[in-house]
Amino acid sequence: MVDPRDVTDTVAVSPYAGDGAQLVPGGPDRSPQPVLPAAGMRGRTAIADGVVAKITGVAAREIEGVYALGGSMTRALDAVRQRVPGGRPNVAHGVSVEVGERQCALDLNLVVEYGVPIAELGEAVRGHVIDTVERMTGLEVVEVNVAVDDIHLPDRDSHVSARVE
């Protein structure tokens, strides 16, 4: 027979609490403490393609030597849009993106300033865009393709001195 003084009153505790929390020993009174699942297991964050495209467009324009993004038609439409009351430039023009759950790939069409070394500019843009997109979105950038569509020539009229007659 068991001596009643050797038996303690215990309550059976399920190893799982509500909301997916797991109970583990280790509290100050050695009672089970809830351990919540990682934040990533409580929901997901979806980032729209347009958000990544805007981040990419702004980051690319921050590099000295980039005059504009997009082809001539895109830039012409953007100029018209800016003249409409309340119209703003589309910073995502010249950018196309493919966004997956954890990764993205980016394509950029650039217009560069005359005299800028294009290969070096492409590398600078690529590096800055990758850093910015990964930092802001948490997505892994697997590829950034840079295409130079045009070169912006300096306005010759502003460099011509006035003729004295």
Side-chain angles (χ1 to χ4, degrees):
M1 181 156 178
V2 177
D3 185 356
R5 289 176 288 167
D6 292 338
V7 177
T8 59
D9 291 332
T10 59
V11 177
V13 177
S14 168
Y16 295 97
D19 297 329
Q22 186 176 8
L23 297 175
V24 296
D29 60 352
R30 303 297 296 158
S31 63
Q33 299 294 312
V35 175
L36 299 174
M41 296 176 66
R42 295 188 199 182
R44 63 183 221 118
T45 302
I47 301 172
D49 293 7
V51 171
V52 176
K54 284 182 181 182
I55 293 168
T56 301
V58 171
R61 285 177 174 83
E62 290 175 345
I63 301 299
E64 188 174 339
V66 173
Y67 177 75
L69 270 70
S72 58
M73 182 61 78
T74 302
R75 290 193 321 271
L77 290 172
D78 205 30
V80 170
R81 175 182 287 152
Q82 289 180 44
R83 289 189 180 109
V84 173
R88 288 185 269 167
N90 183 351
V91 295
H93 274 179
V95 178
S96 61
V97 300
E98 292 179 30
V99 179
E101 205 168 298
R102 292 187 181 101
Q103 298 178 326
C104 64
L106 314 168
D107 293 320
L108 293 143
N109 294 333
L110 303 180
V111 178
V112 300
E113 294 283 352
Y114 177 79
V116 174
I118 295 173
E120 291 174 20
L121 180 69
E123 288 301 315
V125 168
R126 186 176 292 108
H128 186 62
V129 165
I130 289 170
D131 290 345
T132 303
V133 170
E134 287 184 346
R135 179 179 48 82
M136 290 185 69
T137 66
L139 295 169
E140 177 189 3
V141 178
V142 295
E143 169 177 80
V144 177
N145 297 310
V146 176
V148 176
D149 289 341
D150 201 358
I151 293 179
H152 177 255
L153 300 174
D155 186 12
R156 299 203 185 274
D157 293 336
S158 64
H159 297 291
V160 177
S161 59
R163 294 184 189 170
V164 179
E165 293 187 31

